Amino acid sequence: MSRDVTRTTLPGMTHVPPPAEELRLLDAELRQLDARRAQLLHRRAWLVAALQPVAPLTASGAAGPARQAPLGPPRPEATAHGVQNVLLLLGGVLLTLAAAVFTLVSWGRLGISGRALVLAAITSAALFAPVPLLRRGLRSTAESVAGLGLALTALDAYAVHQVAVTGADGAGYTALASALLAGLWVAYGRLPQVAGLRLPPHAALAAAQLPLLFWAIRASAMPYGITAALLVTAGFDTVVALRVTAGSVRVLAAIGAYGMGSWGVLAAGWLSWGAAGPSAAARAAALLLLAAALALGAAARLPGRAVATGNAVAGGLLLVAAAGGVLRASLPGEWTVPTYLACGVALSTAVRMRLPEPVRRGVVLAAGAVQTAAVACALPLVLVSLLGPLGWAVQPWSGAPSDTRAAVSVHMPWAPHSWQLLLAPVTVAAVLALLARAETRRPGAATGAAYLTWATLMALPAAFQLPYAAGLLLQGAAVATALAAASVHFLPTTTTALALGGSVPLTFLSLPSQTATLAVLSAQTAALAAASLRPHLAPVTAPAALVYGAALACATGAAAGWQVRHTALLVLVIPAAAALLAARPAAAHARVPVEITGAAAGLLAVGLALTDAPMLALVPALCTVVAAGTAVRPDRRSVGYAAAALFLLASWVRLAAWDVGVVEAYTLPATVPALCVGAWRRHRDPEASSWTAYGPGLAATLLPSLAAAWNDAHWTRPLLLGAAALLLTLLGARHRLRAPLVLGGSVLVLDALRELAPPLVRMADALPGWVPPAFAGCLLLVLGATYEQRIRDVRRVREALGRMS
């Protein structure tokens, strides 16, 4: 803007061109662009159609759908870098194979001078060719040629052995040559001109795996020398893996360390396990200690927590194997498990040492693994002690065995060296008890210690072949101790489970002797009943006490020589005791399991009495008394139905035992109590319907008697049934009760109809065939003519009945 233009002239200036003209020009340009775009799209579509190949004709002569040809070059499947590496690798391999063929096949055709010149020329050229290649930036090619040179040096070493030192031992020469080659390749890789090559360090590390191994083979130091060579080589690889910075070299060194170390550890473990004496075991232990030092040293320096812990676990296990192997070779064979267990326990003290956290954690895990394995070795003895007595269920009271081991192994074999194996669970229990002092580990450690101690006590009598009575006393003491611990709230869930779990094998163990069975069942019933006084134990121990009480009742009846049906009366004491116990307010939390157990005992009593009908009638009657006493409680009113059903069942069984065939003898015992209950309900609730109060009781007698009266040839039952129905009808009408009125009237009509049935049948036989249809037609006409009046009468009767209760 010119400096001569003043501020007063600016508002009067206009746009060039004006806004309307500029908008017109823009619209014209946009229309031209749209037209040009449409033209180009049309041309593009024509070109695409022109490039489509002509589709082949189908069988019908029509052209099939044509595939669209690609508009650009196909996409390459391999990168240029990948193709380059493959070509260089193939070239290096082929040159190496050619050199090997030349060395192995054509070597003898040249003289000594020619051989030396060829070797020197080819090897030198291959080793120094990477220098100019690296200067030109051809690193991959330089790596390939350097690999060829390294392979030629190995072939040179073989050629020297074949020509110059043919008498040298193969293993010794291999050890020397591999050591020299490793040093040569390391020196070659450190030259300033080829310092960027990655292949020489890897090749040198691979060659370094051989010298010690072949030197040990040359020295005939089998097998200890070879194992030591493997472990020392693994140590060398470990040092390399921890010190070098190149990632690929560290990975290769780690592979060598784990590979050579694994072979060395396996060999050392085999030597330790098969050692014939302390001397051989000591040498194997030295090898295991070397491997343990390598594993623990690596664990202390490894950055990864998981890898460090894994190495520490391996190191801890190797320490146990070393120490345990020496001790095992010095002691009898049955002490093998205790010796390794002692070493594992000693290793667990590492938790208090000042070690890096991953190392300490790994060592403690190794100690735990050793202790777990020792406990697993004792597990078969515990299982035999717990499951073996179950076999006495098929032959009870057949005679007390000589000792506890004979009692538990009557159907299961017993393992040798038993009592030494039981040192494992008791020792681990002591360790867990010490660990339980830590607040964070108390629940798990204390529970584990309780289970292991209980298992040891249950298996101890059989392990030491204690007398039969002593074994019963010891297992009973274990059960009693567990109950006492549960009573004082010491791990109540665990100790209660142990007490009940121990009582089962103890019961079966007492089956060989009648006296032992009665004593054990009595003691367990009393102990569980006493424990039920504790509110937190009652839901479990009270039902268990009832179960053992029922078993005691059966055993007592059998010991007294009673028949099975008479034993049922003794078993009924259990439902009565359960009902009394459930009625106590203090047993509210154990009420349901106690009542369920009592009901099950009642069913057992009924099952025992099935063979004798009079006794089968007496047992449900006594159960009725128990159920009725339970139904008195306000919260158990519904048990009254069960009491009524039991009473009815008892009365029916008794009548059947007396060969009573009168229907009313079976129905009246149900009708009278039902009517009494109905009257009591109507007294308590005047609004209750007569159908609910009296209907079931009346129907229980009237309907079966009516069915019997129709088939009765005598007049006594129909007459009495009619009189009773008439009396019910009159009572229903007098008191305006619907159920007696309807039921009594219906039964009265049907009973009277029964008297008319034979004459009607005879009349129907005497009448002509057209009389019944005519009678039916007339009846329909009469009914149709008086339909409205009948509807009015029915409505009036219904209203009258509705006014009744």
Side-chain angles (χ1 to χ4, degrees):
M1 179 184 299
S2 175
R3 294 181 181 272
D4 298 334
V5 179
T6 62
R7 291 182 178 271
T8 56
T9 60
L10 285 176
M13 297 180 65
T14 59
H15 295 279
V16 180
E21 181 64 17
E22 185 177 0
L23 179 61
R24 187 185 63 78
L25 293 176
L26 289 177
D27 291 338
E29 288 290 336
L30 289 175
R31 286 192 295 271
Q32 291 178 3
L33 290 176
D34 291 337
R36 181 58 177 170
R37 185 174 183 276
Q39 181 182 4
L40 292 176
L41 288 174
H42 180 72
R43 181 61 179 175
R44 181 184 180 280
W46 183 87
L47 291 174
V48 170
L51 290 175
Q52 295 283 350
V54 180
L57 294 178
T58 60
S60 61
R67 286 188 310 174
Q68 183 177 356
L71 301 180
R75 183 180 179 181
E77 297 182 355
T79 62
H81 185 69
V83 173
Q84 164 197 303
N85 291 337
V86 171
L87 293 177
L88 292 176
L89 178 62
L90 291 176
V93 170
L94 291 176
L95 289 177
T96 303
L97 292 176
V101 171
F102 172 78
T103 303
L104 298 174
V105 179
S106 303
W107 181 257
R109 301 177 184 176
L110 299 176
I112 296 177
S113 301
R115 298 171 186 174
L117 290 174
V118 170
L119 282 175
I122 296 177
T123 305
S124 300
L127 290 177
F128 290 100
V131 176
L133 293 174
L134 289 175
R135 291 177 180 174
R136 295 177 177 270
L138 303 176
R139 179 178 296 275
S140 299
T141 307
E143 292 281 359
S144 179
V145 176
L148 175 62
L150 298 179
L152 287 174
T153 55
L155 292 174
D156 292 345
Y158 170 76
V160 170
H161 178 267
Q162 293 295 320
V163 175
V165 288
T166 55
D169 180 72
Y173 182 79
T174 302
L176 178 62
S178 57
L180 292 176
L181 288 175
L184 175 64
W185 292 344
V186 170
Y188 176 73
R190 291 187 175 181
L191 292 176
Q193 294 82 0
V194 293
L197 295 178
R198 292 178 295 179
L199 189 57
H202 295 79
L205 184 59
Q209 311 299 310
L210 304 178
L212 289 177
L213 179 61
F214 281 96
W215 176 83
I217 296 174
R218 168 68 178 79
S220 300
M222 298 176 65
Y224 292 94
I226 296 177
T227 305
L230 291 172
L231 293 176
V232 172
T233 304
F236 168 76
D237 293 333
T238 303
V239 173
V240 173
L242 293 174
R243 302 209 39 161
V244 298
T245 58
S248 57
V249 178
R250 294 183 65 181
V251 172
L252 183 60
I255 293 174
Y258 284 113
M260 303 296 283
S262 299
W263 284 108
V265 166
L266 290 176
W270 178 76
L271 292 174
S272 177
W273 186 258
S279 177
R283 285 181 288 173
L287 297 175
L288 290 172
L289 289 176
L290 175 60
L294 293 176
L296 293 175
R301 292 170 176 81
L302 284 172
R305 182 182 180 88
V307 180
T309 302
N311 280 272
V313 170
L317 294 177
L318 290 172
L319 288 176
V320 172
V326 175
L327 295 176
R328 183 191 61 83
S330 306
L331 297 173
E334 57 267 20
W335 290 92
T336 299
V337 173
T339 54
Y340 284 103
L341 175 63
C343 297
V345 173
L347 187 64
S348 62
T349 58
V351 71
R352 300 183 180 276
M353 296 181 182
R354 292 185 178 181
L355 297 173
E357 177 58 27
V359 178
R360 181 167 59 251
R361 179 179 177 82
V363 171
V364 172
L365 289 177
V370 173
Q371 297 174 37
T372 303
V375 171
C377 293
L379 186 60
L381 303 183
V382 178
L383 292 178
V384 172
S385 300
L386 296 178
L387 301 180
L390 299 181
W392 290 106
V394 297
Q395 47 183 0
W397 297 355
S398 57
S402 58
D403 54 61
T404 310
R405 181 179 297 182
V408 302
S409 60
V410 61
H411 293 295
M412 300 180 69
W414 184 262
H417 314 312
S418 56
W419 73 271
Q420 289 87 354
L421 292 178
L422 287 180
L423 292 174
V426 69
T427 303
V428 177
V431 173
L432 292 176
L434 293 176
L435 290 178
R437 293 183 301 175
E439 291 293 335
T440 58
R441 301 179 182 177
R442 174 171 295 178
T447 301
Y451 275 106
L452 292 175
T453 304
W454 172 83
T456 305
L457 291 176
M458 297 300 292
L460 198 61
F464 283 96
Q465 288 186 288
L466 297 180
Y468 178 66
L472 290 176
L473 289 176
L474 186 57
Q475 289 195 357
V479 174
T481 304
L483 274 179
S487 299
V488 296
H489 294 274
F490 177 75
L491 299 175
T493 303
T494 301
T495 50
T496 303
L498 293 178
L500 296 180
S503 64
V504 176
L506 176 61
T507 302
F508 282 95
L509 186 62
S510 67
L511 288 179
S513 171
Q514 176 179 316
T515 305
T517 302
L518 296 176
V520 167
L521 289 176
S522 301
Q524 291 192 140
T525 303
L528 292 170
S532 300
L533 298 177
R534 297 286 185 175
H536 66 284
L537 297 180
V540 178
T541 56
L546 294 175
V547 170
Y548 284 113
L552 177 61
C554 295
T556 302
W562 294 358
Q563 295 182 359
V564 176
R565 62 178 183 271
H566 296 149
T567 305
L569 296 177
L570 193 58
V571 175
L572 285 178
V573 176
I574 304 304
L580 294 176
L581 179 61
R584 295 175 61 247
H589 51 287
R591 184 167 297 158
V592 174
V594 166
E595 290 177 345
I596 292 175
T597 307
L603 291 177
L604 174 62
V606 172
L608 293 176
L610 284 176
T611 57
D612 186 72
M615 187 61 66
L616 183 60
L618 178 59
V619 170
L622 296 177
C623 292
T624 301
V625 176
V626 176
T630 303
V632 173
R633 289 160 37 200
D635 59 335
R636 289 293 183 269
R637 298 298 189 194
S638 58
V639 183
Y641 296 104
L646 288 171
F647 174 75
L648 186 62
L649 175 63
S651 61
W652 285 356
V653 173
R654 172 55 64 184
L655 292 173
W658 286 339
D659 295 329
V660 175
V662 179
V663 176
E664 289 75 13
Y666 293 90
T667 58
L668 286 177
T671 296
V672 173
L675 292 178
C676 293
V677 172
W680 175 77
R681 181 171 182 181
R682 287 273 299 179
H683 177 72
R684 294 287 301 273
D685 183 14
E687 299 297 329
S689 173
S690 61
W691 286 108
T692 305
Y694 305 118
L698 294 175
T701 295
L702 292 176
L703 298 182
S705 297
L706 180 62
W710 273 76
N711 297 321
D712 196 348
H714 302 283
W715 58 270
T716 306
R717 177 180 279 114
L719 179 60
L720 294 177
L721 179 62
L726 177 60
L727 180 60
L728 283 177
T729 304
L730 295 177
L731 289 175
R734 171 69 180 80
H735 297 283
R736 303 175 65 182
L737 297 176
R738 186 181 304 174
L741 179 62
V742 174
L743 285 175
S746 301
V747 171
L748 181 61
V749 171
L750 293 175
D751 185 62
L753 184 63
R754 179 259 178 196
E755 297 298 327
L756 295 176
L760 290 177
V761 172
R762 290 192 298 270
M763 186 182 298
D765 292 336
L767 290 176
W770 56 269
V771 174
F775 177 76
C778 293
L779 180 62
L780 292 176
L781 289 176
V782 172
L783 291 177
T786 59
Y787 182 77
E788 184 177 1
Q789 182 64 33
R790 294 294 180 271
I791 292 296
R792 203 177 286 117
D793 295 340
V794 170
R795 185 181 298 111
R796 188 179 301 111
V797 172
R798 185 174 59 189
E799 292 175 355
L801 291 176
R803 288 192 294 269
M804 299 181 182
S805 58

